[in-house]
């Protein structure tokens, strides 16, 4: 598949001056649509428009906002087939993988719709000292007025609307810039919000590449970015110019540890699904597997059999497939490079190992063994249907290798439960699944975010909505005379009074309370 013509700049992140994005179906290579690029002036106009509507959106309160998002949920559920068709057309996903997108959105609308009051409702705080007994302390959470979301191509709806939903529930207006590879599905839902749901004018999208994304960073009050750490750095640097806060969900190189004593059928099936689901194009895909020596041979044989049996290609109801296409030609080249680098350095492909024949852009589901940490496939994010397996002496070596990464997004440990749990607590990353893979993303109650270079900030749970808010503390005087003891005039009696009271309440023994040495 070619990327970029005179008219397009697909794949050249940051390129300016493109007039239209050429969208292709990765499963066939066919151009399916041309989408006009929004220049910076149009981004500014869009942000200004939703900004004007935001105060009223905030004023209708949590119940009012859930009413509208509930209507969006119903539209999503009623139009599932249409959404899946578009997802498949622009990403080349198989239908089973595409089905996660509307399902997640409906779930996350209900999650934040029913918990927003608990997470961002006004809080009362008890004064920590008797000196403030006359004060009422409150914290209210007010939204950043406009949140800008910049999203990648691997889950075009989950990684854009999935963040827009808590931002909207918080009372913010939202403008999303989807990936240039997958602009269609999001535009369809945003259009439905406007025309079919009839929602307030607080949700829109702008289309383009780096220039459009940069313009969005310049004009919003909070940036939610999901993408590569390379672009994440650029976004953060740009946001620094306007001191705009950012939340970054970046890449991963997720390890899986298989301990002796694990259910090896479950572990191998999980590794195959966790590594190949969405063609391995998930930030949390299983990419590196460390297996304790006694379990190694049997685990590898089971994994190779499971992956070897996967059916790849463009699927339909009559002929369902397990593994779809590579969505971005750039990523497809990276996957091929990592595998070739490993094979040249002595790794062996037990299954797959190369690009599949066209039409469309496919990489064969691949299992590599005889790998080590000098190879790109064990160090850099591959983001394709490739899992690499290493034999280790024991759990200590597995942990040392699992933690030997600049990434720290998530991971998994398989084994007898108590031992696996002990090992899981020592993996250096934002979330660990014990005897499962990827499932933490669907556990909306627990936060998810990267350690090290996998990101800054959290998604899901209470932090996943609170980050879209600014806290405002209210210190309210319930009663008081004409003056506080600390105010003027500093008479002889008053000048030391506050200090003496502070001493009295903070000293932990009687003598010190009265200024005496013990
Ligand atoms: P990318 O960084 O190339 O692009 C992400 C987005 O940033 C796109 O919309 C792109 O147009 C935009 N962009 C590019 N240059 C920009 C600039 N200078 N200023 C502002 N915006 C700019 O990432 P990608 O290839 O689309 O996605 C794959 C990456 O996303 C992988 O690294 C993957 O791990 C990561 N990812 C992370 C998570 C997570 O939750 N941690 C989830 C999914 C994907």
């Amino acid at each position: 598949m070619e990327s970029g013509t005179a008219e397009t700049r697909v794949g050249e992140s940051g390129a300016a001056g493109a007039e239209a994005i050429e969208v292709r179906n990765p499963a066939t290579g066919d151009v399916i649509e041309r989408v006009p690029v929004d220049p910076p002036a149009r981004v500014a106009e869009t942000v200004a428009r939703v900004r004007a509507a935001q105060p009223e959106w905030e004023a209708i309160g949590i119940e009012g906002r859930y009413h509208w998002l509930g209507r969006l949920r119903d539209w999503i559920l009623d139009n599932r087939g249409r959404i899946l068709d578009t997802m498949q057309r622009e990403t080349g996903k198989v239908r089973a993988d595409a089905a996660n997108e509307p399902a997640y959105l409906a779930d996350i609308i209900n999650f934040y719709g029913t918990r927003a009051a608990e997470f961002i409702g006004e809080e009362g705080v008890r004064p920590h000292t008797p000196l403030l007994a006359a004060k009422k302390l409150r914290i209210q959470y007010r939204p950043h007025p406009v949140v800008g979301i910049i999203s990648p191509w691997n889950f075009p709806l989950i990684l854009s609307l999935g963040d827009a939903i808590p931002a909207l529930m918080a009372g913010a207006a939202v403008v999303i810039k989807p990936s240039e590879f997958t602009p269609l599905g999001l535009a369809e839902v945003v259009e439905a919000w406007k025309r079919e749901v009839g929602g307030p004018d607080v949700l829109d999208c702008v289309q383009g590449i780096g220039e459009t994304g940069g313009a969005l960073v310049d004009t919003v009050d909070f940036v939610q970015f999901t993408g590569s750490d390379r672009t994440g750095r650029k976004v953060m640097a740009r946001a620094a110019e306007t001191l705009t806060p950012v939340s970054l969900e970046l890449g991963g190189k997720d390890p899986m540890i298989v301990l002796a004593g694990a259910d090896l059928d479950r572990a191998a099936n999980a590794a195959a699904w966790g590594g190949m689901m969405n063609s391995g194009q998930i930030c949390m895909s299983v990419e590196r597997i460390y297996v304790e020596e006694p379990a190694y041979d049997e685990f590898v044989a089971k994994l190779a059999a499971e992956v070897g049996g996967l059916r790849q290609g463009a699927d339909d109801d009559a002929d369902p497939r397990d593994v779809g296409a590579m969505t971005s030609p750039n990523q497809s080249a990276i996957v091929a490079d990592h595998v070739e680098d490993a094979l040249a350095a002595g790794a062996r492909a037990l299954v797959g190992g190369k690009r599949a024949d066209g039409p469309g852009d496919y990489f064969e589901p691949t299992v590599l063994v005889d790998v080590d940490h000098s190879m790109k496939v064990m160090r850099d994010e591959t983001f394709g249907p490739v899992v690499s397996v290493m034999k280790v002496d024991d759990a200590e070596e597995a942990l040392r290798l699992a933690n030997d990464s600049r990434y720290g997004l998530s991971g998994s440990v398989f084994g007898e439960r108590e031992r696996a749990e002990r090992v899981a607590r020592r993996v250096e990353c934002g979330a660990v699944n014990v005897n499962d893979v990827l499932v933490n993303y669907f556990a909306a109650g627990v936060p998810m975010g990267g350690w090290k270079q996998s990101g800054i900030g959290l998604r899901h749970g209470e932090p996943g909505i609170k980050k879209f808010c600014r806290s405002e503390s209210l210190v309210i005087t319930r009663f008081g005379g004409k003056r506080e003891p600390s105010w003027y005039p500093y008479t002889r009696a008053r000048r030391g009074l506050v200090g003496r009271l502070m001493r009295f309440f903070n000293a932990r023994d009687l003598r010190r309370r009265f200024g005496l040495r013990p």
Side-chain angles (χ1 to χ4, degrees), residues 69-198:
L69 287 168
R71 290 184 61 165
L72 177 65
R73 175 204 55 221
D74 295 346
W75 183 89
I76 288 169
L77 294 174
D78 294 347
N79 291 275
R80 182 176 175 274
R82 179 174 147 191
I83 293 171
L84 298 193
D85 289 345
T86 309
M87 281 300 103
Q88 286 198 276
R89 261 169 18 104
E90 69 176 350
T91 64
K93 286 175 199 270
V94 294
R95 198 135 184 113
D97 290 348
N100 288 304
E101 306 246 12
Y104 173 87
L105 296 182
D107 190 52
I108 216 74
I109 287 175
N110 287 340
F111 176 76
Y112 280 115
T114 54
R115 286 169 181 76
E118 174 195 332
F119 293 157
I120 58 166
E122 189 165 313
E123 288 170 24
V125 176
R126 270 190 35 202
H128 77 288
T129 164
L131 289 176
L132 294 174
K135 308 295 178 195
K136 182 170 100 170
L137 306 184
R138 310 287 295 175
I139 309 171
Q140 70 161 342
Y141 296 94
R142 300 274 316 274
H144 291 284
V146 184
V147 170
I149 295 177
I150 300 176
S151 57
W153 42 259
N154 56 333
F155 287 96
L157 299 184
I158 290 179
L159 297 171
S160 56
L161 287 167
D163 289 314
I165 288 160
L168 288 165
M169 273 312 305
V174 174
V175 177
I176 303 170
K177 193 210 81 63
S179 167
E180 59 273 28
F181 294 106
T182 54
L184 305 180
L186 175 73
E188 199 170 282
V189 180
V190 168
E191 198 56 21
W193 166 264
K194 294 180 188 176
R195 316 262 170 250
E196 296 179 50
V197 175

Side-chain angles (χ1 to χ4, degrees), residues 13-14 150-154 159 177-180 208-210 213-214 225-228 231 234-235 249-252 283 381 383 409 448 459:
S13 290
I150 300 176
S151 57
W153 42 259
N154 56 333
L159 297 171
K177 193 210 81 63
S179 167
E180 59 273 28
I209 314 175
F225 172 83
T226 305
S228 62
T231 313
K234 289 188 199 163
V235 165
E249 297 283 351
L250 308 177
C283 51
E381 185 179 42
F383 219 61
L409 193 56
M448 179 246 165
R459 177 180 270 153

Side-chain angles (χ1 to χ4, degrees), residues 254-259 261-263 266-267 270-271 284 286 399 410-427 429-441 443 446:
D254 282 10
M256 170 171 169
I257 294 176
V258 182
L259 301 170
D263 177 337
R266 183 173 174 84
M284 302 154 51
V286 173
L399 276 166
S410 49
S412 54
V413 180
F414 283 75
E416 173 275 314
R417 208 183 78 194
E418 280 179 18
R419 183 166 176 238
E421 204 179 311
R422 276 200 304 277
V423 171
R425 289 172 192 280
R426 295 172 60 201
V427 180
C429 62
V432 190
N433 297 298
V434 174
N435 290 327
D436 207 336
V437 285
L438 306 182
V439 68
N440 67 290
Y441 204 87
V446 289

